[in-house]
Amino acid sequence: MRFPRVRLLPWFFLPIGLIAGWGCAQKLPIDEGRMVIALPGAPVNIDPRVATDAYGEQILQMTHASLVGRDVAGEPLPDLAHRWESPDPLTYVFHLRPGLRFHDGRPLTSADVRYSFAWILDAANRSPHRGLYRHLAAIETPGPRTVVFRLSEPFAPFLSTMVRGIVPAGSPARGYAPPVGAGPYRIDDLSPDGEAVLSAYGGYYGGPPAIRSVTVKFVPDSNVRFLELKMGSVNFTLNGVDPDLLPAAEHARRLVVEEGPGGNVTYLGFNLRDRALSDARVRRAIALAIDRETIVRTIWKGRADIVSSILPPGSWAHDPDLPVVPFDPARARRLLDEAGFPDPDGDGPLPRLRLTYKTSQNEVRRRVATVIQEQLRRIGISVEIQSLEWGTFFSDIKKGTFQIYSLTWVGISDPDIFHHAFHSRSGPPDGANRGGYSDVEVDRLTESARREPSRPIRRETYRRVQRILARDLPVFPLWAGRNLLVRDRRLAGFLLTPDESYAPVRGMRIVPDPVTPSTGGPR
């Protein structure tokens, strides 16, 4: 089978601004002490109380601070709260750092913490994170620097849910206008279709970042992202260069490519409310027809790892003994026959069934969709691909307006994701069970694991959940992509983490480069 290849756009198709950048020597952003990050899409929302898409979360990691942060392994570490204790399984007491302030100069106190979580809990606000905090019985503020959370029942992943940006009390949700934060960078300007302009916050408790100015550009076109990197108008992108273009990036004198393990799992989602997809045999037939190894080898150039669970391979609760779904088109056809979808005309053109596959306009995702379309055609399933603008696409998925789709789970830190994504009462807007999956045993197990303080017992419980999901396939986990950072060689200090976090941006700096001249112009 021939796979589509990415080709660089001819020079005459490039934006005029890029061509002008080639034509004359000019100062690059890094020469002026400015870092320019390219994201493959624009965020749907930049408000920690409602944001759910990866691009919004990544900007929030630079601009908003939480009670608790995460280390590289996903374990909790101090952020706005410099310490905490749990005197009993139903009580958590957080102590805020002294002198905290928001970007507008307002003091950050326990009242702001209480407001941020109370806003999410208010059903009228329809926060998609509300389901994560249903166990909260009360939030008390005995002092301006002390917050007490009282739970209605033990909740083992509680600390992981505290990684949520704090906003000032009284902050309304104003669509695309983000509320003030207290992170290392503040948002000076934001254009939904263009860029976010950030500046270092001098009042940040950890000290202002060394790089004083950061621009986050939203660049959906992969060729334009790469060309801007080569020219220096963009100098940082994480997982933003297509695998086909990485060799060229590695040979560009101004650029450095770094690779690290990935913890973000791409999966194929099914709408179980659909007549055909409600049958587990049809879902398994689709999985058996997809040659993941070929896709990883040809499209991802080997820079991804086949998985059997949406839980990242590095998670403490991951089950390494899950069965791997093989590539077996013959068995897929037999399952479709059993499910009542026989081939209507043998080797003729008529399909067994027709499905719509929704994806974003990301070039690699469209190529993956095209390959899956061809592989499913070979077992008699006709697939129509709908490649949508990111905001429209993600809105459709949250509303359940799809048959099959592909997305990536980003930033999973606790196996409680199984309750959030597969419990029968975790449908949007309170959860992420977008396909309508329901299983009594999965409900029971994910509920009990939430109340269990013992990590070994939780591990075994979640492994049982993973085996049920591997049997039912409400989603089909595809692969975990490795993290690939392409940066200007003068940028230093970024720590690659498995969850693709942008929080380490605050520790970056610009260093002299004895190899590459710092002047602008063509290279």
Side-chain angles (χ1 to χ4, degrees):
M1 175 168 53
R2 297 177 68 86
F3 295 93
R5 296 184 62 81
V6 170
R7 293 187 302 160
L8 292 180
L9 295 172
W11 67 269
F12 45 83
F13 286 133
L14 294 179
I16 292 174
L18 296 187
I19 298 172
W22 277 344
C24 58
Q26 57 184 6
K27 273 199 170 186
L28 299 176
I30 198 168
D31 298 321
E32 300 171 340
R34 183 162 58 95
M35 181 164 70
V36 181
I37 298 171
L39 291 182
V44 176
N45 197 297
I46 306 180
D47 185 326
R49 300 167 295 179
V50 294
T52 56
D53 69 296
Y55 305 136
E57 293 283 359
Q58 287 162 346
I59 293 177
L60 287 168
Q61 287 164 353
M62 295 183 281
T63 61
H64 286 65
S66 309
L67 282 179
V68 175
R70 295 192 192 107
D71 64 15
V72 175
E75 299 294 336
L77 51 74
D79 194 2
L80 294 175
H82 66 95
R83 65 182 177 90
W84 58 83
E85 63 264 2
S86 180
D88 60 71
L90 299 179
T91 307
Y92 287 81
V93 183
F94 292 87
H95 304 276
L96 300 179
R97 299 175 187 273
L100 293 173
R101 290 187 177 274
F102 288 106
H103 295 156
D104 60 3
R106 277 181 281 180
L108 190 159
T109 70
S110 58
D112 302 298
V113 176
R114 180 179 58 197
Y115 172 82
S116 298
F117 289 101
W119 193 97
I120 293 172
L121 283 168
D122 187 341
N125 293 322
R126 297 181 62 82
S127 169
H129 305 298
R130 181 168 174 258
L132 294 174
Y133 303 103
R134 285 178 174 165
H135 51 275
L136 283 178
I139 307 174
E140 301 168 0
T141 54
R145 289 178 47 206
T146 305
V147 188
V148 180
F149 290 86
R150 300 201 183 276
L151 313 186
S152 57
E153 61 181 358
F155 186 66
F158 175 77
L159 287 176
S160 70
T161 68
M162 291 293 101
V163 185
R164 180 73 54 203
I166 303 302
V167 301
S171 297
R174 296 177 298 176
Y176 212 77
V180 173
Y185 286 96
R186 68 174 144 216
I187 300 176
D188 295 327
D189 192 23
L190 178 63
S191 169
D193 299 320
E195 62 187 24
V197 179
L198 317 180
S199 61
Y201 174 44
Y204 179 59
Y205 74 80
I211 298 178
R212 307 296 291 177
S213 177
V214 173
T215 299
V216 184
K217 298 179 71 171
F218 313 136
V219 189
D221 189 286
S222 59
N223 294 306
V224 174
R225 277 198 309 275
F226 178 71
L227 288 168
E228 290 211 46
L229 273 167
K230 286 200 70 175
M231 292 187 301
S233 53
V234 164
N235 46 47
F236 179 106
T237 186
L238 180 56
N239 297 327
V241 172
D242 290 355
D244 276 348
L245 300 176
L246 281 171
E250 290 171 330
H251 286 93
R253 285 187 299 171
R254 88 162 76 247
L255 301 176
V256 172
V257 178
E258 297 180 25
E259 182 173 342
N264 297 331
V265 173
T266 296
Y267 66 96
L268 200 66
F270 303 108
N271 192 332
L272 276 65
R273 294 171 288 263
D274 182 84
R275 184 181 70 85
L277 296 171
S278 64
D279 192 321
R281 293 171 296 185
V282 173
R283 301 194 298 273
R284 184 161 296 276
I286 292 172
L288 289 165
I290 297 175
D291 186 354
R292 292 182 290 171
E293 291 186 0
T294 294
I295 294 174
V296 166
R297 183 177 67 253
T298 57
I299 294 182
W300 291 105
K301 306 303 179 187
R303 288 182 155 104
D305 302 294
I306 303 297
V307 296
S308 298
S309 171
I310 65 165
L311 200 63
S315 168
W316 56 266
H318 183 266
D319 185 350
D321 300 319
L322 285 174
V324 177
V325 177
F327 174 53
D328 192 342
R331 186 179 167 206
R333 294 186 190 97
R334 291 195 297 271
L335 282 174
L336 289 175
D337 290 339
E338 294 174 14
F341 295 96
D343 192 329
D345 59 351
D347 293 331
L350 295 178
R352 297 169 181 263
L353 71 153
R354 300 178 185 273
L355 295 173
T356 300
Y357 180 133
K358 290 193 175 183
T359 188
S360 69
Q361 294 179 341
N362 177 281
E363 180 62 30
V364 173
R365 291 188 184 276
R366 287 191 294 188
R367 291 174 62 200
V368 168
T370 301
V371 175
I372 290 177
Q373 178 189 49
E374 170 61 21
Q375 292 177 345
L376 293 185
R377 184 195 64 80
R378 295 181 176 187
I379 65 166
I381 297 178
S382 173
V383 174
E384 175 195 349
I385 297 173
Q386 293 185 359
S387 177
L388 306 173
E389 178 271 330
W390 171 252
T392 302
F393 165 63
F394 196 54
S395 175
D396 281 358
I397 302 309
K398 290 189 292 184
K399 289 187 294 188
T401 310
F402 62 86
Q403 285 183 297
I404 58 176
Y405 70 93
S406 180
L407 267 177
T408 299
W409 277 111
V410 176
I412 295 176
S413 61
D414 191 279
D416 188 59
I417 184 65
F418 291 119
H419 187 284
H420 186 60
F422 299 110
H423 193 283
S424 61
R425 294 198 303 273
S426 291
D430 294 337
N433 185 356
R434 297 155 186 154
Y437 177 69
S438 179
D439 182 87
V440 173
E441 186 67 359
V442 167
D443 285 357
R444 185 186 68 81
L445 290 171
T446 55
E447 288 171 8
S448 67
R450 285 183 145 194
R451 297 188 293 266
E452 176 54 58
S454 166
R455 179 170 281 194
I457 295 176
R458 290 186 78 207
R459 178 186 292 113
E460 181 53 37
T461 302
Y462 284 122
R463 289 186 174 181
R464 291 172 62 188
V465 170
Q466 290 170 79
R467 292 174 201 136
I468 295 172
L469 296 176
R471 178 198 71 198
D472 293 350
L473 289 180
V475 303
F476 178 37
L478 297 171
W479 46 73
R482 296 175 198 156
N483 285 317
L484 294 161
L485 170 65
V486 182
R487 60 170 174 82
D488 188 291
R489 65 191 314 124
R490 284 177 284 171
L491 290 172
F494 186 80
L495 178 65
L496 275 172
T497 61
D499 63 353
E500 199 178 338
S501 173
Y502 277 63
V505 165
R506 66 174 176 262
M508 294 183 70
R509 61 194 185 282
I510 297 173
V511 298
D513 182 3
V515 178
T516 303
S518 61
T519 56
R523 291 279 187 257

